[in-house]
Structure formats: structure tokens, C-alpha cells
Amino acid sequence: MTLSLKDYSSIVGEKLVDEIYEEAAPLEGKHVEHINSTFYGGGVAEILSSLTLLMNDVGIKTGWRLLKGHQDFFNVTKKFHNSLQGEDIILSEDKKKIYIECNEINSIIMHIHPLDAIIIHDPQPLPLINFYKKTQPWIWRCHIDLSSPNKILWNYLKQFIEKYDAVIVSMDQYKQKDLNKPYHIIPPSIDPLTAKNKFIPDSVVKRYLSKFGVDLDKPVISQVSRFDKWKDPLGVVKAFDIIKKQVDCKLVLLGSMASDDPEGEIIYNRLMEKVKGNNDIIVINYADDFLVNCLQRASDVVIQKSLKEGFGLTVTEALWKGTPVVAGNVGGIPLQVIDGKNGYLVNNIRECADRTIKLLKDPRLREELGTAGMGHVKKNFLITRHLMDYIHLLKGMMK
Ligand code: UDP
């Protein structure tokens, strides 16, 4: 983690860094607030940790606030999340009441006036807009895979979204035809200077992993993800059973719980039940950025067998480390994994296993795809590009 954009010069070049400062100059002193519902766990918190610091560094007074909620609230919003990714939902009056009341309570204690722009992330804080007199642009940033949202829920949420001035999504396919709002496409990004993504020498990687029971005595494949059904950890285990028949290797599943995700524990327990007694599968439930970094570096292949995926920062992170990725052909993943060039896109367990075996058997292919992955991320998915996108957006909205 760094506080200054200048530190990125060694990676993206001084010219781009100077351009960003220059572009941001007209926003000097403007006050912007990001609001989401968790400080750690998951991609949104990951992005905001770096983005908010860098926005401050370029002169935009940028705050980050959390919507506080009880278990009931997060149970409802997790259902909303699942339903926006296509699942059925019983949209009861009770659920709506819990959702709205929590937002109303937060609006009383937030005191977010006066600001120059407000950026709301995901559905949890979406109804906040109902409880303020709007004196500045409000932007809704949705990180979820909106390729086929449940219509009942979408129609309900639309009443709030319609009050916003603009909507940001990660890719064109997430635009909804029935929402007549200015859309901005801003793909997510990673920060190459954090503990999660900075360079680590092999000897340190090896030592650190061994503390968690991961020895590099066999090829390693891994998936790093919240324990979430959309990440399909059980599907990864099934693919591993097939892979093991051809290549002696081990599987590491690293995950942790996000405070706004009540389903994590259920999925974790189900997974533990499934892998019991299998010494080649290591499940680690621990939040540790350096560990994520080491694992993604040490893996011969990183898997991200998602069934739905807003974008998939874990894919970006692995590609950045030069590790080829075998990932579900869903959501934002095809923006990152170019099939056959820096990894493979797969549609089922069998394909996942076959592609992984192919990579495990061919070190040169892994090297070639890994190098291509690093280049793709450098060009498209680093925090510097993300910052520039926000600067352009805010300048456009504050005219
Ligand atoms: N993550 C982590 N530890 C874990 C699991 C996930 O630090 O045990 C991080 C992961 O490295 C990535 C983010 O959480 O930065 C997940 O973002 P992604 O977009 O892949 O998925 P999301 O969780 O937002 O659906």
C-alpha cells in the first residue's frame, strides 16, 4: 500500500503519472464520498482501499464510509445479491422493510452533506438516496454480474436507481435496457504495490506458504475466493479429482468470510465435509493478503471456476503474477482471460480439469501464457487506469 501516485512511476511510467495529476487538477479540493458495506473481504473493499487513498493524493478530498447493518440486513442483501445474479427471490414486505429501515437509520448518522459527489457501491446502500435532499450528483456503482438479473428484484431496485444521475458497471453486457440512465463502463483493477500484489522473491514465498502447511513438493493448483456458491468450490474439488488421476498435484483453496456475506460459513462447512480425509486438498480459512500473494505466485495454475462473476479480481491478481488461469467463462472473466493466450475459459468441470492438466504437463506453455497475462493486466487493469477513469467521470459530472 502506498499513499502516493508517484510510487507507481516505476510500473506504469512517469508520463502516465504526470498525466493523471494534470487531469485531476480541476478537481482539486472537491469532496467526494464512497459508500459501501464492508471494509474487508471481497473485491469492492479491495478496490476502495487503494482508490480512495490515491484520489486523495491527486487532490480530491475522498472519504470512504460504511453502511452499518445487522445480520438480518445482510441476510436480505445477500439474497438481493444472489437474485441480481439470476436466482429466484421471494420479495416479501418484511425483506423490503429491513432493507429500507437500515438505510434510513444509516442516513441519520451519516451526515453526508455537503459534498460534490456521492458514489454508492452495490445494492446495500442503494436506498440511501431516498433520505437526502439531493444537492450533488449521486452515482451508483454496481460490481455484480448483471447479465441476467431476476426481474422482480430488478424492478423493485429500479425505483432507487432511477433517482441516481449515473450508473457504473464493469462491462457493456451489464447495461439494462429498461434503465434510461447515463451508463459508464469502468472495469475494476488491482493495485500492484499492495501486500497482495507486490513482487515477492521465491524463497520468501516458499517459507511463508510452509507456515500454512503448503509445501511445494508437488505442483500446486489453487483457488482464492470467498466461500460462496457462485465461486463453485465444490466444482473445483470435482475437477481436482479428475486432474489427480493424471498429474500428482495438490489443491489449495484459500478463502475468508466477508462481514456482509452471511452464507460463507454454510459453504465453508459443506466444503470441509467434502474434502475430509483428502491430504492433497488444503483448505485455508484465513484473511491474509501476503498469503494470497504467495499462493498466487507459487501456483502452477490458478483456477477461478466461478458460475457468476462481476469481474473477478482474483483472476487479475493471478495474471499479474504471471500465473496462467483456468476460469469460468462468465461475467467479467472473459475481459481478462483471453482463451489460449493467457489462460483458458471453461464451461464445466470436465473442461476445467482438461485445461488444467494440459497446463500442468507443459511448463513452456505455462510460461508463455503467464507472461501474456501479466502484459494484459499491465495494459488494462491496474489502479492507475481506474483512477483516471474516475477522474474523467467526476469531471464530466461536475461541469
Ligand atoms: N480475497 C482475499 N482473501 C480470501 C478471499 C478473497 O483477500 O481469502 C480477496 C481476493 O484476493 C480479491 C477479492 O478478495 O482481491 C475478491 O474479489 P473478486 O472480484 O475476485 O470477488 P468478490 O469476492 O468481490 O465476489
Side-chain angles (χ1 to χ4, degrees), residues 40-47 81 85 122 143 188 190 196-197 223-228 230-231 253-258 261 284-289 292-293 296 304 306 308-317 321 336:
Y40 71 92
V44 182
E46 184 70 23
I47 291 166
H81 176 111
Q85 298 207 138
D122 280 344
H143 297 263
I190 58 162
K196 187 173 284 177
N197 296 312
Q223 175 162 299
V224 177
S225 279
R226 286 179 299 108
F227 297 107
D228 181 314
W230 303 108
K231 311 288 184 184
L253 293 167
L254 171 59
S256 53
M257 314 282 175
D261 180 0
I284 306 173
N285 177 9
Y286 188 61
D288 178 341
D289 286 354
V292 171
N293 192 340
Q296 289 166 335
Q304 188 58 56
S306 302
K308 290 274 179 179
E309 191 62 77
F311 182 70
L313 282 180
T314 49
V315 171
T316 336
E317 290 159 5
K321 288 153 191 135
Q336 306 187 65

Side-chain angles (χ1 to χ4, degrees), residues 54-155:
L54 292 180
M55 285 176 74
N56 278 286
D57 183 59
V58 301
I60 308 166
K61 290 183 188 162
T62 307
W64 174 10
R65 293 181 187 229
L66 295 181
L67 187 89
K68 297 167 197 70
H70 291 293
Q71 198 59 33
D72 282 355
F73 174 74
F74 289 124
N75 286 337
V76 169
T77 55
K78 180 70 200 218
K79 290 211 166 79
F80 283 13
H81 176 111
N82 290 343
S83 181
L84 281 175
Q85 298 207 138
E87 228 173 59
D88 287 342
I89 188 167
I90 299 167
L91 190 56
S92 62
E93 290 309 312
D94 240 23
K95 286 196 186 84
K96 292 184 198 169
K97 189 162 175 279
I98 291 168
Y99 183 50
I100 298 297
E101 267 182 15
C102 178
N103 272 275
E104 182 169 14
I105 289 166
N106 275 270
S107 75
I108 294 168
I109 54 175
M110 267 188 183
H111 298 285
I112 53 176
H113 285 282
L115 291 172
D116 296 298
I118 296 173
I119 304 163
I120 298 288
H121 294 260
D122 280 344
Q124 297 92 338
L126 182 60
L128 273 181
I129 197 165
N130 272 20
F131 303 104
Y132 289 95
K133 188 164 175 297
K134 198 164 152 291
T135 58
Q136 62 285 93
W138 282 63
I139 300 159
W140 186 50
R141 200 307 176 211
C142 183
H143 297 263
I144 295 171
D145 183 340
L146 284 181
S147 47
S148 54
N150 174 286
K151 284 292 162 221
I152 295 169
L153 182 69
W154 176 255
N155 286 335

